[in-house]
């Protein structure tokens, strides 16, 4: 039985405090971010053993610390990795990492956000390959597939951009890696632009969730304010195309 819906901010604050209190967050602490957590590497290994990960050839991943291990696994397994520039600030905001073009050292570096920016190739959205698998960072998730991020909304925007560009569709798997303390019983608030997940990987197991929420159909322009559009070059270009 789910408890009543809480606001996203309330959920974030409860999770951040719980992780720090229970000693499962890692440097520099949980608050204000996609929190790094004890067992993040093992959660990535669990995810990498799942059949949907194994069959994926192109993975779009978030840049946050707890997913570093999964990004490295993707590159070491020969998968193409797509990462976004922080805050989508560049005219071409995605970087393409092809492990066939990377040395062993560069592969290790490319799993980090700084390394991805250094080694990734600047690619226009329309020239990106189709994405098989999306990896998101989360502050909280539930077992109906609802997810709460840190509040910036950039994962949702990146997803919407790739939907509109025809690089993601309804068959693309969406996953996250979390500590078990981040899995909540609350019926989390989901709006039209929020991305639900199919898989939740923890250090113990990969959980295939119910899929109770529809996916965004693309960028929801009416959810954006003009200043947001003007601050993100690719949105400004798409909005006036």
């Amino acid at each position: 039985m789910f408890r009543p819906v809480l606001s996203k901010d309330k959920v974030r604050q409860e999770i951040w405090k719980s992780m720090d209190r229970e000693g499962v967050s890692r440097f520099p602490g949980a608050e204000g971010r996609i929190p790094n957590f004890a067992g993040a590497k093992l959660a990535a290994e669990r995810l990498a053993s799942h059949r949907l990960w194994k069959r994926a050839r192109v993975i779009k991943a978030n840049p946050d610390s707890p997913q570093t291990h999964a990004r490295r696994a993707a590159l070491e397994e020969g998968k193409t990795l797509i990462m976004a520039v922080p805050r989508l600030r560049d005219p071409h905001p995605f970087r393409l990492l092809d492990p066939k073009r990377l040395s062993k050292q560069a592969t290790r570096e490319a799993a980090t956000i700084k390394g991805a920016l250094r080694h990734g190739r600047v690619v226009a959205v329309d020239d990106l390959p189709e994405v098989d698998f999306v990896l998101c960072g989360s502050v909280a998730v539930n077992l109906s597939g609802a997810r709460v991020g840190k509040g910036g909304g950039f994962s949702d925007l990146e997803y919407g951009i790739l939907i509109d560009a025809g690089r993601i569709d309804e068959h693309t798997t969406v996953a996250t890696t979390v500590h078990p303390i981040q899995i909540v019983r609350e019926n989390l608030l989901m709006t039209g632009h929020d991305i639900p997940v199919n898989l939740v990987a923890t250090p113990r197991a990969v959980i295939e969730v119910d899929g109770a929420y529809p996916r965004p159909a693309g960028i929801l322009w009416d959810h954006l304010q003009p200043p947001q559009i003007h601050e993100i070059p690719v949105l400004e270009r798409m909005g006036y195309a």
Side-chain angles (χ1 to χ4, degrees), residues 160-181:
I161 290 167
L162 293 172
I163 281 276
D164 283 352
R167 299 307 182 261
I168 289 175
D169 62 23
E170 67 274 13
H171 302 296
T172 306
T173 301
V174 181
T176 191
T177 60
V178 295
H179 189 276
I181 204 171

Side-chain angles (χ1 to χ4, degrees), residues 15-16 23 41 73 124 132 137-139 141 146 153 165 187 204:
I15 293 296
W16 287 331
K41 184 177 181 181
D132 305 309
S138 301
V139 175
V141 292
N187 195 9
R204 301 172 186 169

Side-chain angles (χ1 to χ4, degrees), residues 68-213:
T68 302
H69 310 285
R71 296 192 298 270
R72 183 167 293 126
L75 292 171
E76 290 175 347
E77 293 169 14
K79 301 180 190 298
T80 298
L81 192 63
I82 296 169
M83 292 176 66
V85 171
R87 307 185 73 82
L88 295 168
R89 60 177 178 248
D90 288 0
H92 297 298
F94 294 99
R95 297 293 180 267
L96 185 72
L97 293 150
D98 181 350
K100 294 190 292 294
R101 300 187 178 193
L102 299 175
S103 67
K104 188 173 183 180
Q105 178 63 30
T107 296
R108 288 194 60 81
E109 293 176 358
T112 68
I113 181 59
K114 288 183 180 178
L117 294 176
R118 183 182 307 120
H119 298 290
R121 182 160 53 95
V122 178
V123 179
V125 172
D126 290 340
D127 293 330
L128 290 169
E130 292 185 8
V131 176
D132 305 309
F133 197 105
V134 173
L135 177 63
C136 297
S138 301
V139 175
V141 292
N142 69 20
L143 297 185
S144 290
R147 166 192 166 272
V148 173
K150 63 185 175 185
F154 288 99
S155 284
D156 300 330
L157 279 175
E158 292 160 18
Y159 185 94
I161 290 167
L162 293 172
I163 281 276
D164 283 352
R167 299 307 182 261
I168 289 175
D169 62 23
E170 67 274 13
H171 302 296
T172 306
T173 301
V174 181
T176 191
T177 60
V178 295
H179 189 276
I181 204 171
Q182 295 173 260
I183 301 175
V184 300
R185 296 180 62 227
E186 280 83 6
N187 195 9
L188 297 172
L189 180 65
M190 290 284 281
T191 63
H193 63 255
D194 290 322
I195 314 167
V197 299
N198 307 115
L199 303 177
V200 178
T202 76
R204 301 172 186 169
V206 179
I207 305 163
E208 299 186 17
V209 299
D210 295 344
Y213 299 94

